Amino acid sequence: MEAESVISAGEAPPKAERREPAGPAVNEGEYEVIHSKSPVFYDLYERKTELKQQTHYCPGCGHGVVHKLIAEALEELGLQDKTIIVSPVGCSVFAYYYFDVGNVQVAHGRAPAAATGIKRACPDKIVISYQGDGDLAAIGTAEIVHAANRGEKIAVFFVNNAIYGMTGGQMAPTTLVGQKSTTSPFGRRPENEGFPIHMAEMLATLEAPAYIERVALSDNKNIMKARRAIRKALEIQKNGSGFSFVEILSPCPTIWGKDPVEARKWVLEKMIPAFALNVFRDRIPSVPKIEVPQRSVTEVLELGAEVEENSTSAARHVHHFKDVKIKIAGFGGQGVLLLGQLLTEMGMRESLEVSWLPSYGPEMRSGSAHCHVCLSKDRIGSPLVSQPDVLIAMNEFSLRKFAPEVVSGGVILYNGATLPADFAAPAAQVVAIPAAEIADKLGSTKAANIVMLGALLEETECLSSGTAVTVLEDKVKKVELLEIDRKALSAGRLFIDDQAHLGAVSQPDGFA
Ligand SMILES: Cc1ncc(C[n+]2csc(CCOP(=O)(O)OP(=O)(O)O)c2C)c(N)n1
Ligand code: SF4
């Protein structure tokens, strides 16, 4: 982009525009016209295959102007080296071609979510979410509303040109009533397409945002206001004050079928009356602090000693494996997901890398549910378990469905007195455990999952039963239930032990 200076000959340049004259000396009191671009832009746009001197924006496009205003504000505030711009899909998808700052290009509508993550991970950085109206007000509505509602300390620059530019002119949520687009060829009709969405006003209903303003690129005066608004949003972030949102009414001459001058006029005469220019919010949000109960020093020391003791005994367990992948499946209500969580909690306490991935239907009870659990000495690449070493099948349906996935030499623990007669066992160790029956006799059928946990620990020795007890003690608050769970854990272990003595299952030797 050739950013052209606004200084004319004979006129004193404002401070930000003062440059050493590059050309021949001029007479005192005279100034030469300076053409330059902010150092926040690359000198040459190397990522472009051709025309490395200029952007891909159409003549008169608002994106070019907004880019210039952002670059100048970053330069003036000395923020270039701290800035990360997140640009999603739309005509500005290649913003990273131009800005010599940190850049992240994200999926359509997702910039506020990505910006949230970046800002929280790097609070010292200046994070900008740069979005069009199709991106921010259509596919990305949820992201912007929730980022604003959380008061994320980011600056959002919302380029509203009332149309989908990149894809050739479909109706946007901000398309004006009566405005023609390829998907509203007779003009937007509120009775069919609804009214234009006023994002600035909508976000101003939320408590958290610090600054919300709508500006326009209709004429030089308004462009200067836009410049101030963009700078202010960045200053707010620099000061750590909160969420800023600047909506910029922008021309899109190409899709509107106008020349650049007519397009600016259209912003002035049509867009501004429909989208009032205003400062909708300008205050530092007051965020109430919720007190977290403080433990006394004695309590902390006691707790620390207990944790230390538990973690030392948990760490003592020898893991005979590099990693173990477990799938647990059954009906909702059988404690399938909870069993997975207990295993991951145990793994963490034994200093393993862990992951837990649940998968369940919409029903709270009796729908099918399963979860994937990984325990590993190394970092886990994917939490998905498609070839489990161990399957815990809490019902026949799950046994039949997932048994074929189990690796050769793996283990299948089935919650049932016997295996179904026609079940063709794969090349794995299959053990039927009447877990529900055992749990029932102990006082609660619900503890069948803990019987299976005991069986798993005894059969595979993947984790220590001591860790299981400490985890249960921490998680189960009802004394009677905890007692049943302790017995269920022991019962599961004993069952496998007895089977081993009878020669029905192999001796536990852990995983290779
Ligand atoms: C998931 C997904 N859905 C749809 C698209 C197609 N698409 C690309 S850009 C765009 C709209 C962009 O409009 P806007 O955000 O207003 O930006 P402009 O091009 O006008 O600057 C759409 C729908 C896409 N790339 N990805
Ligand atoms: S189509 Fe519109 S928004 Fe896209 S670059 Fe051209 S003028 Fe800009």
Side-chain angles (χ1 to χ4, degrees):
M1 175 185 0
E2 281 302 321
E4 191 175 313
S5 163
V6 292
I7 308 159
S8 52
E11 179 190 341
K15 194 162 176 281
E17 300 288 349
R18 200 178 287 274
R19 304 265 196 281
E20 282 296 313
V26 287
N27 296 329
E28 203 180 333
E30 288 181 0
Y31 295 88
E32 64 174 350
V33 176
I34 302 166
H35 295 275
S36 64
K37 67 181 170 195
S38 164
V40 173
F41 290 125
Y42 290 113
D43 285 339
L44 272 187
Y45 306 134
E46 296 287 357
R47 286 192 173 96
K48 294 187 78 208
T49 43
E50 48 193 24
L51 300 177
K52 294 176 194 294
Q53 305 269 7
Q54 66 185 61
T55 68
H56 65 283
Y57 298 122
C58 310
C61 173
H63 283 300
V65 179
V66 178
H67 278 25
K68 179 176 188 280
L69 300 181
I70 294 174
E72 287 174 356
L74 290 175
E75 180 190 351
E76 284 165 29
L77 295 169
L79 295 174
Q80 179 173 9
D81 291 341
K82 298 180 78 177
T83 297
I84 300 171
I85 298 183
V86 185
S87 48
V89 179
C91 276
S92 56
V93 67
F94 295 133
Y96 63 92
Y97 281 13
Y98 312 121
F99 286 100
D100 185 4
V101 298
N103 286 282
V104 180
Q105 202 282 314
V106 297
H108 208 9
R110 306 297 176 253
T116 296
I118 295 167
K119 184 70 185 182
R120 288 191 178 200
C122 312
D124 295 340
K125 300 292 176 206
I126 298 295
V127 181
I128 294 172
S129 179
Y130 184 105
Q131 303 181 255
D133 45 280
D135 187 83
L136 180 140
I139 195 168
T141 324
E143 278 76 6
I144 188 62
V145 169
H146 290 287
N149 194 41
R150 293 190 304 268
E152 298 298 342
K153 294 185 169 60
I154 58 175
V156 179
F157 298 129
F158 171 39
V159 179
N160 176 3
N161 56 19
I163 205 82
Y164 286 12
M166 185 192 211
T167 42
Q170 294 82 1
M171 195 192 82
T174 52
T175 295
L176 304 192
V177 171
Q179 185 184 339
K180 289 183 182 164
S181 72
T182 57
T183 46
S184 57
F186 305 109
R188 181 180 193 152
R189 292 174 302 144
E191 86 249 35
N192 199 49
E193 288 97 37
F195 288 93
I197 296 183
H198 292 74
M199 288 308 295
E201 286 87 336
M202 209 166 112
L203 298 182
T205 63
L206 304 172
E207 274 304 307
Y211 174 55
I212 300 176
E213 179 165 2
R214 183 182 289 121
V215 293
L217 306 181
S218 50
D219 50 85
N220 286 350
K221 195 170 156 209
N222 273 323
I223 290 174
M224 292 319 280
K225 281 190 181 165
R227 187 182 207 276
R228 283 195 289 276
I230 285 171
R231 187 185 153 118
K232 177 162 179 164
L234 294 168
E235 272 174 325
I236 286 173
Q237 191 176 162
K238 192 178 175 191
N239 299 335
S241 305
F243 179 89
S244 300
F245 182 88
V246 182
E247 176 171 341
I248 305 145
L249 306 182
S250 299
C252 171
T254 304
I255 301 293
W256 294 353
K258 302 185 187 311
D259 69 32
V261 176
E262 285 171 349
R264 273 192 179 197
K265 208 165 155 230
W266 201 81
V267 174
L268 185 72
E269 291 174 357
K270 300 290 181 195
M271 285 192 84
I272 294 178
F275 292 98
L277 304 188
N278 199 2
V279 178
F280 297 95
R281 173 69 55 79
D282 188 5
R283 57 139 167 80
I284 295 176
S286 88
V287 183
K289 291 264 177 288
I290 306 294
E291 289 303 325
V292 178
Q294 293 292 309
R295 291 193 177 94
S296 71
V297 175
T298 326
E299 281 171 328
V300 168
L301 291 177
E302 278 171 9
L303 204 67
E306 206 178 296
V307 168
E308 176 74 6
E309 193 183 306
N310 289 340
S311 60
T312 324
S313 70
R316 262 189 243 124
H317 183 76
V318 181
H319 302 114
H320 301 283
F321 56 81
K322 195 166 141 293
D323 56 31
V324 182
K325 298 186 181 72
I326 304 170
K327 191 170 268 183
I328 308 164
F331 290 131
Q334 285 187 307
V336 163
L337 305 185
L338 177 65
L339 178 50
Q341 286 174 331
L342 292 174
L343 284 169
T344 44
E345 175 75 33
M346 289 167 62
M348 274 195 279
R349 293 194 188 191
E350 295 190 8
S351 305
L352 293 169
E353 297 280 334
V354 300
S355 66
W356 173 78
L357 184 72
S359 171
Y360 46 86
E363 314 89 338
M364 284 300 279
R365 289 279 172 271
S366 67
S368 68
H370 68 267
C371 67
H372 311 233
V373 173
C374 299
L375 306 171
S376 175
K377 286 181 177 165
D378 292 330
R379 294 189 71 178
I380 295 166
S382 163
L384 200 69
V385 175
S386 46
Q387 293 185 305
D389 300 300
V390 180
L391 168 67
I392 299 181
M394 295 299 288
N395 60 22
E396 186 179 333
F397 175 78
S398 305
L399 177 73
R400 292 187 189 279
K401 184 169 179 193
F402 294 115
E405 295 180 356
V406 176
V407 295
S408 168
V411 174
I412 299 175
L413 302 177
Y414 171 58
N415 170 28
T418 52
L419 290 171
D422 62 341
F423 176 69
Q429 165 93 326
V430 189
V431 191
I433 305 153
E437 203 181 315
I438 295 173
D440 200 27
K441 285 189 180 141
L442 290 173
S444 172
T445 326
K446 281 189 176 172
N449 59 345
I450 307 299
V451 177
M452 295 303 269
L453 173 61
L456 170 78
L457 300 183
E458 192 63 23
E459 178 58 27
T460 66
E461 292 189 338
C462 61
L463 297 162
S464 136
S465 53
T467 314
V469 173
T470 55
V471 169
L472 287 171
E473 280 170 353
D474 287 350
K475 302 278 170 201
V476 183
K477 299 294 170 209
K478 281 194 183 158
V479 182
E480 321 83 69
L481 266 184
L482 179 61
E483 209 36 51
I484 294 174
D485 279 345
R486 277 181 203 276
K487 289 181 185 164
L489 189 73
S490 301
R493 294 182 61 201
L494 274 173
F495 184 86
I496 294 294
D497 209 30
D498 289 350
Q499 296 286 305
H501 285 112
L502 291 170
V505 298
S506 61
Q507 292 292 334
D509 54 0
F511 286 91

